[in-house]
Amino acid sequence: DTGVSQNPRHKITKRGQNVTFRCDPISEHNRLYWYRQTLGQGPEFLTYFQNEAQLEKSRLLSDRFSAERPKGSFSTLEIQRTEQGDSAMYLCASSFNPRGGRRDYGYTFGSGTRLTVV
Amino acid sequence: AQSVTQLGSHVSVSEGALVLLRCNYSSSVPPYLFWYVQYPNQGLQLLLKYTTGATLVKGINGFEAEFKKSETSFHLTKPSAHMSDAAEYFCAVTITGTASKLTFGTGTRLQVTL
């Protein structure tokens, strides 16, 4: 178990460019979450997947954002036409949610991808 | 909707002194409460959590927190601060039926001085 892995760790991009981040969750975890954290704030929920299904998207996730988890394993978060306001730390987390069983409610977070839009 | 308020964006203590970080929550149903720690340019590490059962919860690194329903609080304490405790601390809440989505507070930066 190597934990939740996020790549890249840092990304600097010019305004208007597209960027894609990857998250590899803990292998047996069926839920995957994306959060965004801006400077001086707590993380804010963006979206989550149960296996390959994206079950909820926050209103923070504009049309320029898209997330996928094609095989229920790794996930990607793409931002199109980046804006300076997209500069933030993007955090991925995973958890195991047993069907009909007692939930642990314990996430494991990755180290995040820090995006800087210049 | 649930929410969390962390009082004090910065807290400074001397090494060896008591650490007290405050967290108050708002929730219309019984909450599940968490404390996370974040070191610079790192993700979040779970310190402790309250779901059900005993209201005094012990976590890693000597931290503990007590769920007080009457005060809607979940304050984090540690009897004796260590230099390595300097970090950002986040309180978070979730409730049943929300797919375990966490709502975080704005964080408290703990500084430990000699």
Side-chain angles (χ1 to χ4, degrees):
Chain A
D1 178 1
T2 57
V4 177
S5 176
Q6 291 190 247
N7 288 289
R9 290 295 307 278
H10 304 274
K11 178 71 176 179
I12 300 175
T13 191
K14 292 184 178 180
R15 189 176 53 182
Q17 297 293 305
N18 299 344
V19 294
T20 300
F21 312 139
R22 176 177 170 126
C23 172
D24 288 89
I26 293 173
S27 57
E28 61 267 26
H29 283 186
N30 56 353
R31 280 203 175 161
L32 186 148
Y33 303 79
W34 285 99
Y35 285 78
R36 181 172 69 186
Q37 185 180 19
T38 53
L39 208 59
Q41 299 297 316
E44 296 172 294
F45 170 79
L46 292 179
T47 188
Y48 90 96
F49 293 83
Q50 172 104 359
N51 300 313
E52 67 275 9
Q54 187 175 19
L55 296 185
E56 188 170 345
K57 293 168 61 174
S58 162
R59 278 176 283 184
L60 294 174
L61 216 62
S62 75
D63 291 344
R64 295 184 298 105
F65 288 71
S66 63
E68 294 182 342
R69 193 182 184 199
K71 296 182 180 180
S73 56
F74 73 92
S75 175
T76 58
L77 178 67
E78 180 182 17
I79 309 174
Q80 296 181 327
R81 305 181 303 281
T82 52
E83 302 172 356
Q84 286 188 318
D86 297 331
S87 295
M89 173 82 89
Y90 290 83
L91 293 164
C92 176
S94 68
S95 69
F96 178 63
N97 181 55
R99 181 173 294 181
R102 181 180 174 83
R103 295 182 188 180
D104 180 68
Y105 291 99
Y107 283 17
T108 300
F109 277 89
S111 296
T113 294
R114 181 167 295 283
L115 173 66
T116 303
V117 182
V118 297
Chain B
Q2 62 273 22
S3 66
V4 165
T5 301
Q6 291 185 241
L7 294 175
S9 58
H10 291 83
V11 170
S12 182
V13 300
S14 301
E15 191 174 34
L18 171 70
V19 176
L20 171 61
L21 304 183
R22 298 179 186 275
C23 173
N24 287 88
Y25 69 90
S26 173
S27 174
S28 57
V29 298
Y32 304 110
L33 296 157
F34 306 80
W35 276 98
Y36 284 87
V37 61
Q38 186 177 36
Y39 297 97
N41 295 314
Q42 296 293 317
L44 286 85
Q45 181 182 12
L46 180 66
L47 280 177
L48 49 81
K49 62 185 176 187
Y50 168 78
T51 52
T52 58
T55 56
L56 181 62
V57 181
K58 295 186 183 300
I60 62 171
N61 301 339
F63 285 94
E64 63 181 37
E66 187 171 10
F67 171 62
K68 293 186 176 181
K69 183 178 178 181
S70 61
E71 299 177 9
T72 62
S73 69
F74 191 57
H75 302 329
L76 182 70
T77 60
K78 181 174 180 177
S80 176
H82 192 271
M83 296 296 288
S84 61
D85 294 327
E88 187 93 22
Y89 291 80
F90 292 95
C91 183
V93 64
T94 189
I95 60 174
T96 187
T98 62
S100 304
K101 291 181 301 179
L102 293 172
T103 299
F104 286 87
T106 53
T108 298
R109 181 165 298 279
L110 176 65
Q111 181 182 18
V112 182
T113 59
L114 289 172

